Amino acid sequence: MLLNVHDIQQEIDVKKFYMQDLLCFANDRFKPVLESGVSLQDLGVLRGYGIFDFLRVSDGVPLFLDDHLDRFFYSADVMGLEVKKSRHALTMVVHHLIKENKLKNSGIRLLLTGGDSVDGYQLGEPNLVVVQQQITPPADSINHAGFVLASYDYQRQLSEVKTTDYLMAIWLQPWMKKKQANDILYHHNGMVNECPRSNVFIVTQQNQLITPAENMLKGITRKNIIKISNAIGMQVVERNILFEEMKLAKEVFIASSTKRIVPISRMDDTFYPPCTPNSVTWKLFELLCEHERQYIHAHKN
């Protein structure tokens, strides 16, 4: 198949149009995002060795920034990558990008790569990049229809770390679409783990809220759900969830920074009741939105 040079150039021009005025922070300098550049010798490019974190900016406020920085530094430590900027310095970088780029509702991505390697295998000097990008914010009302999950037997390596390795999730996209699903549910050895970019919660027939305790990434939204649930007297149980147990759940939902809370209407051949104002999922969604509004109000300049 011959490449259409005109179409390629048109796509490049579109990207430039949307990104040309945006600043990013790359290796100690603020620069146009199109000039951030990462070497082809970087282990992030050669081997996919790197970590990142992603947070939403709502009304100019970087949501739960301290929590995201906690996870970013933890991931870097586990991966043996030095972050040569302090928490305070990274906080200032994030706020500067928000001020200069004037994107009040957007996303901030902090990326730390394995650095330029002398042999394509040894760690080099990590490259740190902080980029702000336009995103579609989650709706302020719950998704009534819910998502359909397709289950897949898989365990991510270093699952407690937010690495840049999404190979399996991306490879499975055509399979997921054939299953007419919205997302993938990872399970392994009979235990439910996570979705590629979301945490999983179930509500039992006894109205007990449960989420996996291990073999997955502990999300910031997951942390907030546990916090607000405990505040209203609904204790969240963190423990292993049997895959068969999930089929018997009264409600299932997934949660992430970019989705908030999304009810699950079906997992493989198992259907769940519609989400209503009386559902635990619905109530937690409303509480999470309020928690977010309170955070924004407390952190507005």
Side-chain angles (χ1 to χ4, degrees):
M1 179 179 178
L2 293 176
L3 293 176
N4 188 317
V5 177
H6 174 74
D7 288 345
I8 293 173
Q9 185 59 51
Q10 189 175 42
E11 182 177 348
I12 293 172
D13 290 342
V14 168
K15 288 182 178 179
K16 285 184 177 180
F17 174 78
Y18 284 107
M19 302 173 73
Q20 63 184 345
D21 294 329
L22 296 181
L23 281 182
C24 74
F25 182 82
N27 293 324
D28 290 328
R29 289 183 56 198
F30 288 100
K31 59 181 71 173
V33 71
L34 293 174
E35 297 176 16
S36 59
V38 175
S39 166
L40 294 179
Q41 297 303 309
D42 192 294
L43 284 178
V45 176
L46 291 177
R47 308 292 185 188
Y49 197 94
I51 63 142
F52 79 104
D53 221 291
F54 187 86
L55 60 128
R56 280 195 299 119
V57 176
S58 183
D59 200 17
V61 175
L63 294 174
F64 313 111
L65 178 58
D66 284 341
D67 290 327
H68 284 279
L69 289 176
D70 283 344
R71 190 171 62 181
F72 185 70
F73 277 91
Y74 172 78
S75 295
D77 183 58
V78 173
M79 296 287 280
L81 300 174
E82 183 183 0
V83 185
K84 292 196 171 179
K85 287 290 177 186
S86 67
R87 290 177 61 97
H88 177 72
L90 280 179
T91 299
M92 294 300 100
V93 166
V94 168
H95 283 286
H96 183 76
L97 290 178
I98 293 171
K99 178 182 177 182
E100 293 299 317
N101 289 328
K102 298 179 175 58
L103 297 178
K104 287 193 172 185
N105 297 290
S106 57
I108 296 283
R109 184 180 301 271
L110 298 94
L111 174 67
L112 190 68
T113 70
D116 289 6
S117 178
V118 295
D119 60 0
Y121 214 68
Q122 296 183 59
L123 289 175
E125 186 81 13
N127 286 304
L128 173 65
V129 181
V130 184
V131 180
Q132 186 178 18
Q133 62 190 79
Q134 191 72 60
I135 64 170
T136 301
D140 291 329
S141 57
I142 198 164
N143 181 336
H144 297 273
F147 272 14
V148 173
L149 297 181
S151 67
Y152 194 84
D153 190 340
Y154 177 64
Q155 173 61 61
R156 289 194 306 113
Q157 58 184 342
L158 297 171
S159 55
E160 77 278 13
V161 178
K162 197 167 179 66
T163 71
T164 56
D165 177 12
Y166 280 71
L167 185 150
M168 182 59 73
I170 295 172
W171 181 71
L172 285 173
Q173 289 301 296
W175 171 84
M176 182 191 77
K177 291 174 183 177
K178 285 182 181 179
K179 294 281 187 177
Q180 297 184 318
N182 304 101
D183 211 339
I184 302 161
L185 174 71
Y186 291 150
H187 63 95
H188 189 61
N189 289 335
M191 301 295 176
V192 172
N193 296 337
E194 60 186 349
C195 295
R197 296 181 293 174
S198 306
N199 288 118
V200 179
F201 289 78
I202 71 169
V203 180
T204 69
Q205 296 296 332
Q206 293 74 38
N207 284 329
Q208 187 178 50
L209 187 59
I210 307 174
T211 190
E214 57 185 7
N215 298 322
M216 50 80 202
L217 180 72
K218 293 186 177 180
I220 307 307
T221 301
R222 174 186 182 273
K223 179 179 179 180
N224 284 325
I225 290 171
I226 292 172
K227 180 179 179 180
I228 62 178
S229 297
N230 289 338
I232 63 170
M234 178 183 286
Q235 184 178 4
V236 182
V237 179
E238 298 179 70
R239 65 162 173 81
N240 291 334
I241 298 175
L242 292 170
F243 183 64
E244 292 302 315
E245 182 183 6
M246 184 167 171
K247 296 179 181 180
L248 302 174
K250 182 179 179 181
E251 300 175 35
V252 175
F253 66 85
I254 60 175
S256 72
S257 295
T258 55
K259 299 182 187 76
R260 291 195 181 116
I261 289 174
V262 180
I264 301 305
S265 59
R266 176 167 64 88
M267 188 274 294
D268 296 340
D269 295 325
T270 300
F271 289 81
Y272 300 101
C275 186
T276 71
N278 292 324
S279 303
V280 171
T281 301
W282 187 301
K283 293 174 182 176
L284 288 176
F285 179 88
E286 296 294 331
L287 288 170
L288 184 64
C289 289
E290 179 58 27
H291 181 63
E292 186 178 303
R293 286 191 290 268
Q294 291 176 2
Y295 184 94
I296 292 170
H297 178 75
H299 292 79
K300 281 290 276 185
N301 292 331

